[in-house]
Amino acid sequence: MIIHLQKDTAQKTIDEMSRELDAFHIIKPDFHILITPSALKEVPAKYNDVVIENFVFATDMQLSSAEYLSEKRQIDIGNISIGGNTNNTMIIGGPCSVESEEQIISSAELMQELGISTLRAGCFKPRTSPYSFRGLGSEGLKLLDKIRSTYGLNVITEVRDSTHVDEVIEYADIIQIGAKAMYDHGILQACGEIRKPVLLKRFFGATLQELVHAADFVLSGGNENVILCERGIRTYETKTRFTLDLCGVAYLKQYTNLPVILDPSHAMGYRYGVPDLARACTAMGIDGLLIEVHPDPSVAQSDAAQQLDHDAFRKLVNTLKPIASAIGRTIV
Ligand code: PEP
Ligand code: MN
C-alpha cells in the first residue's frame, strides 16, 4: 500500500507507522509517502488524522504502477525531458564500449551533427567470457567526461557491479543498470539513493513483474527518475541474439508509470535488422531508443556484429523523424 501523509505529521508518528507497517518513507515537498508491502489493504484507524489518501495494490508493483500515477513520470535529463506529457522520443546513440579518444570523439561529433543529445558508451563491460574486452574502466569514464563538456552531450554509461558504482554515478548523466545487473541489490540501492536518471535494463530471463519490482527497489529508495529498457529476452530462437518483447512493451506502457526505452541493437544482435526494428519500436510511441553505432564496426571490441556504421545511423535517424511525427511525437 502507498500512504500519503500530511506534511506536518510528527516524526514520532512516521517512525511508529514505518515500524508497525514495515514501510519505506519518502519525503516530498508537500507530503510524506509510506510504502508498505502490498499485503496491507487497510490503514489502521488510529492513523486516520494524518492520512491524506492511500492506494491499495494487488501485487508489489506499487510506486511504478499506473494505478498509483496515471500520468507517466517525467524525467529531465540535462536540457531534454521524456515522459510526462512531453511526447518526446529520445535517441541514445553511441558505441557499445569506449575504446579510444579518437573513437569517442568521432561518435560525439556524429550525435552533434544529428542533433542527438545523449551519447552512450560502456566503460565497465559485463562479458559472458572472461577473455573478452571488459572496457577501459575509469580511463573510459574520464574520456566520456571530457566529451560531455566539449560537445554539450548527456552521457549514459553502465554500472556492472558494486566496485565502481560511485564512480559511474559521479560521471554519468544517466546511470545504465545492465541487463545482467538487474538483480544486483547493491546497485539498485545505490541508484535509489541518488536523484540522477537510471536506465534499468530488463534481464533477458526476467519476467515483466521482476523488472517492475527491480524498478520499485530504486523508486522506494526515493529516486523517482527510473526509465525501463526492453533489450530482448531469451526464447527458443537461435537465429537472432534475443527476441525483442514488443508485447511486453505494450504491457509496460499500459500498466506502469515509467518511461520505456527500447534497445533493438542488443535484441537483434546483427546490424541488418536494427533499422527495421528501430522503426517498428518508434511506431509504438515509446519514450526512447538505444542504438549502438561505431565509426568502424568491423574493429569494435564488443558487440561488433550489431553496431551500425555512421552512414547507416544517419539514414536511420532521418527515417525515424517522420514516423515519430505521424504519431504526434518528436525525436530528441
Ligand atoms: C550494452 O548496453 O552495451 C549492454 C551490455 O547491454 P545489456 O546489459 O542489455 O546486455
Ligand atoms: Mn553492447
Side-chain angles (χ1 to χ4, degrees):
M1 179 187 286
I2 296 177
I3 311 168
H4 288 186
L5 303 179
Q6 310 277 7
K7 185 184 172 137
D8 60 1
T9 306
Q11 188 60 44
K12 188 167 157 283
T13 313
I14 295 174
D15 291 345
E16 186 188 318
M17 287 182 85
S18 301
R19 254 193 323 274
E20 184 181 336
L21 307 177
D22 205 10
F24 285 87
H25 173 212
I26 296 174
I27 305 172
K28 298 281 285 181
D30 298 325
F31 56 100
H32 297 265
I33 306 178
L34 291 187
I35 312 111
T36 80
S38 57
L40 186 75
K41 305 295 180 195
E42 227 174 302
V43 188
K46 62 182 171 181
Y47 298 122
N48 280 355
D49 284 355
V50 294
V51 173
I52 304 170
E53 57 183 332
N54 64 290
F55 307 81
V56 176
F57 301 92
T59 72
D60 277 351
M61 172 171 134
Q62 301 194 93
L63 288 167
S64 56
S65 170
E67 284 175 43
Y68 175 48
L69 298 176
S70 53
E71 288 273 298
K72 280 242 177 288
R73 292 174 189 267
Q74 179 173 321
I75 316 272
D76 303 319
I77 310 138
N79 54 1
I80 62 152
S81 301
I82 56 167
N85 45 26
T86 64
N87 283 329
N88 285 338
T89 297
M90 166 171 79
I91 297 186
I92 297 172
C96 181
S97 304
V98 179
E99 294 167 3
S100 67
E101 183 160 11
E102 193 191 4
Q103 173 237 24
I104 206 68
I105 287 176
S106 167
S107 305
E109 283 172 349
L110 178 67
M111 298 310 134
Q112 199 177 51
E113 170 197 326
L114 297 173
I116 290 171
S117 53
T118 310
L119 175 74
R120 65 144 285 139
C123 301
F124 297 91
K125 301 301 298 176
R127 304 309 301 274
T128 308
S129 158
Y131 311 114
S132 304
F133 175 64
R134 287 196 252 173
L136 295 184
S138 311
E139 193 194 322
L141 283 180
K142 297 208 173 85
L143 287 176
L144 283 178
D145 194 40
K146 212 160 132 188
I147 288 300
R148 182 183 178 212
S149 38
T150 313
Y151 292 87
L153 292 166
N154 295 321
V155 156
I156 170 165
T157 194
E158 174 174 5
V159 185
R160 185 191 57 219
D161 58 55
S162 57
T163 58
H164 53 267
V165 57
D166 295 335
E167 216 181 337
V168 170
I169 285 171
E170 185 188 331
Y171 285 107
D173 299 291
I174 308 175
I175 322 299
Q176 176 172 324
I177 301 182
K180 291 173 192 141
M182 192 199 93
Y183 291 112
D184 187 319
H185 291 150
I187 292 177
L188 296 175
Q189 190 170 329
C191 288
E193 285 163 11
I194 57 167
R195 297 296 172 263
K196 279 190 176 176
V198 172
L199 182 82
L200 177 64
K201 287 190 138 193
R202 178 185 184 185
F203 175 58
F204 50 75
T207 63
L208 294 165
Q209 176 150 323
E210 287 163 340
L211 171 66
V212 289
H213 280 175
D216 258 68
F217 261 101
V218 179
L219 294 162
S220 61
N223 188 355
E224 299 188 275
N225 301 305
V226 179
I227 307 164
L228 300 176
C229 179
E230 160 59 27
R231 45 76 75 209
I233 53 172
R234 181 158 283 165
T235 65
Y236 50 78
E237 189 50 72
T238 56
K239 297 293 184 205
T240 58
R241 190 177 181 193
F242 294 97
T243 297
L244 191 60
D245 182 12
L246 297 187
C247 294
V249 171
Y251 170 89
L252 296 171
K253 281 182 67 186
Q254 179 74 10
Y255 289 103
T256 78
N257 58 39
L258 302 174
V260 181
I261 284 189
L262 273 86
D263 168 359
S265 299
H266 290 86
M268 185 69 206
Y270 302 99
R271 80 185 112 260
Y272 76 86
V274 172
D276 281 348
L277 282 170
R279 285 186 278 268
C281 294
T282 304
M284 282 190 77
I286 48 160
D287 301 287
L289 273 176
L290 184 158
I291 314 268
E292 284 193 342
V293 45
H294 190 287
D296 182 358
S298 67
V299 299
Q301 298 200 63
S302 57
D303 287 346
Q306 72 199 28
Q307 302 200 57
L308 301 182
D309 64 25
H310 285 195
D311 252 3
F313 186 73
R314 276 189 194 96
K315 285 195 187 108
L316 169 61
V317 171
N318 284 330
T319 65
L320 295 177
K321 289 177 183 165
I323 296 173
S325 114
I327 54 164
R329 299 188 74 90
T330 310
I331 298 284
V332 294

